[in-house]
Amino acid sequence: MKKTVLYVALSQCLLWSAVAQTPKKTAPKAVAKPAAATTQGRIKFTEYDLPNGLHVILHQDNTTPLVAVTMMYHVGSKNEQPGRSGFAHFFEHLMFEGSDNIGRGDYMKIVKSAGGQLNANTSNDRTFYYEVLPSNKLELGLYLESERLLHAKVDQKGVETQREVVKEERRQRYENQPYGSFFPEVLKRAYTTHPYKWAPIGSMEDLNAAKIEEFRDFYKEFYVPNNAILSIAGDINVEDTRKLIEKYFSEIPRGPKAPYRPKVTEPVKTKEVRDIVYDNVTLPGVFQAYHMPAQGTPDYYALDVLQTLLAGGESSRFYKEIVDKQQKALQTSVFPLALEDPGLFIAIGIANMGTKAEELEAAMDTEVERVKKELVTDQEFQKVKNQIETNFVNQNARVAGIAESLANYKMYFGDANLINTELERYNKVTKDDLRRVANKYLTKENRVTLYYLPKAMEPKKEDKGK
């Protein structure tokens, strides 16, 4: 398999995603918080709450005639009930079905005809919708998102249509991609009690078994203003935008109850979980998942720096040693699954032709052991810090990226201004921290190790009766 094809396959695997009555009109009594600091290079914004609980973040940047209108809902796969997995991701699709005032399937047509683009994604913790439009179409974006929030179509026809869409997505991303099922396979072995044990794509059996009333109840519980952040960035006037937000969102009622948040703590692991998946692959794959702290904790930042050291590009340790020098791997990757509750530090290796999975695993473990025993050099440490800073700049180079970052920081940490200050948390990480967290978290008893092997290597089952 060509390296480029493999990279695309793995990337696709990882990228992972009732009608309300109209009340009487009320004027918002929101008071804007002070904008972010005005130092050069910092991102300025205004934020406030509507009486119905909708949190609003506005960033004005008039350098290009574009605006990103985004809505983030605090609902992901972890908010689902056992036996009803996949609801959050399913709603990401269902919310494009239309509303009382928007024809079925017309969201895409409306945005494209206005010269814009739109999309959505679902993670374990939240669901995110966005439109990027010419700035003179700001009101259109607000209208579309208010329709989605106030009275989206949640009916049997839409549910049946999107069931087929999700089935096809599952086939393309998980079942028909080499190593495509690794994410749900890792999760179900890494977690025993926490709802992170199922992937956002969920189970088609669960979705098929659900009744229309359950979908409507999910919409009423999670698609409410007090569970959402409206984040807008781009070529806007803040005061004019506030008036438009009042026009389209102030009448939407807040949810009658607090949305469900699981209060589950995954037990500490004391023994390595090892397993083999025989799949339609030609080369062995090694997938390791170590339990790690939730995002935003000091050790999370140290582990994020560590993953850049191990696998952040062709100058990283995994690449130089395992791919380039030893030629035991066709590709390596490390990424922290950054989650609201404790997540996973995932290391991946795809073996080169003629390399056994055991040999590749040993090479990966050797590089981890090096970090445990030796401090990184000053030069290597500075290079990693530079890479992280570059990633921050790139993330906030577009208005859509800024709007999403502001919403993420507010939703997860309660502080949108982390868009300006989170880099300071990374800069506090020391070389000693890298060695410390490697010894604390990257242990065999704290991990899942999963081999992907060609189906031809699967032992044949003995005939019954023998």
Side-chain angles (χ1 to χ4, degrees), residues 254-278:
R254 69 183 297 122
K257 62 178 182 178
Y260 166 70
R261 306 268 182 254
K263 304 294 183 183
V264 181
T265 301
E266 183 67 24
V268 175
K269 304 305 176 187
T270 58
K271 184 179 179 181
E272 182 183 24
V273 176
R274 298 186 68 88
D275 210 344
I276 299 174
V277 175
Y278 295 96

Side-chain angles (χ1 to χ4, degrees), residues 22 80 82 96 186 213 217 236 242 294 298 302 326 355 391 451-452:
T22 303
E80 298 159 351
F96 287 95
V186 163
E213 291 79 12
D217 288 344
I236 63 172
R242 287 173 64 107
Q326 299 180 27
T355 301
N391 290 339
Y451 284 2
Y452 266 70

Side-chain angles (χ1 to χ4, degrees), residues 202-440:
S203 160
M204 288 313 306
E205 290 77 13
D206 290 351
L207 292 175
N208 287 335
K211 295 179 171 55
I212 188 64
E213 291 79 12
E214 294 176 272
F215 291 105
R216 287 173 177 159
D217 288 344
F218 190 90
Y219 176 73
K220 291 176 182 178
E221 180 174 2
F222 294 106
Y223 280 77
V224 291
N226 44 306
N227 195 45
I229 295 174
L230 172 63
S231 182
I232 301 172
D235 184 25
I236 63 172
N237 175 279
V238 170
E239 290 307 313
D240 291 344
T241 303
R242 287 173 64 107
K243 293 175 183 177
L244 289 174
I245 291 170
E246 176 185 347
K247 174 181 176 181
Y248 286 102
F249 291 92
S250 64
E251 294 184 340
I252 302 175
R254 69 183 297 122
K257 62 178 182 178
Y260 166 70
R261 306 268 182 254
K263 304 294 183 183
V264 181
T265 301
E266 183 67 24
V268 175
K269 304 305 176 187
T270 58
K271 184 179 179 181
E272 182 183 24
V273 176
R274 298 186 68 88
D275 210 344
I276 299 174
V277 175
Y278 295 96
D279 200 7
N280 291 320
V281 299
T282 57
L283 300 172
V286 177
F287 297 81
Q288 299 171 326
Y290 300 87
H291 288 269
M292 65 177 289
Q295 61 179 356
T297 58
D299 282 0
Y300 163 78
Y301 290 106
L303 286 163
D304 200 10
V305 174
L306 179 58
Q307 70 88 13
T308 307
L309 172 77
L310 290 174
E314 295 188 358
S315 64
S316 67
R317 291 190 173 189
F318 269 23
Y319 189 92
K320 287 196 299 185
E321 185 65 27
I322 305 174
V323 177
D324 193 20
K325 182 179 178 181
Q326 299 180 27
Q327 296 188 356
K328 288 182 178 178
L330 180 67
Q331 181 179 340
T332 56
S333 179
V334 178
F335 67 95
L337 185 60
L339 298 174
E340 199 166 25
D341 293 338
L344 298 172
F345 184 93
I346 299 177
I348 301 171
I350 306 301
N352 225 333
M353 189 71 69
T355 301
K356 295 180 180 180
E358 293 84 357
E359 296 170 334
L360 177 54
E361 180 188 358
M364 294 165 66
D365 287 346
T366 296
E367 292 309 306
V368 170
E369 290 303 313
R370 277 184 60 201
V371 179
K372 291 181 179 181
K373 295 174 182 177
E374 307 166 6
L375 283 177
V376 301
T377 65
D378 290 340
Q379 181 179 2
E380 192 175 21
F381 190 58
Q382 187 59 52
K383 179 205 71 175
V384 169
K385 290 292 188 71
N386 292 344
Q387 286 178 275
I388 291 172
E389 186 170 355
T390 299
N391 290 339
F392 265 81
V393 172
N394 291 338
Q395 170 65 22
N396 297 323
R398 301 173 297 108
V399 290
I402 292 173
E404 184 174 8
S405 291
L406 287 167
N408 272 326
Y409 285 127
K410 183 63 180 182
M411 183 163 288
Y412 290 136
F413 307 105
D415 182 9
N417 196 46
L418 276 172
I419 197 170
N420 294 308
T421 62
E422 191 184 31
L423 194 58
E424 297 170 10
R425 298 187 179 188
Y426 282 97
N427 288 333
K428 289 180 181 179
V429 175
T430 66
K431 295 188 294 183
D432 285 312
D433 286 330
L434 299 188
R435 184 167 60 181
R436 177 182 58 79
V437 295
N439 280 283
K440 183 175 181 180

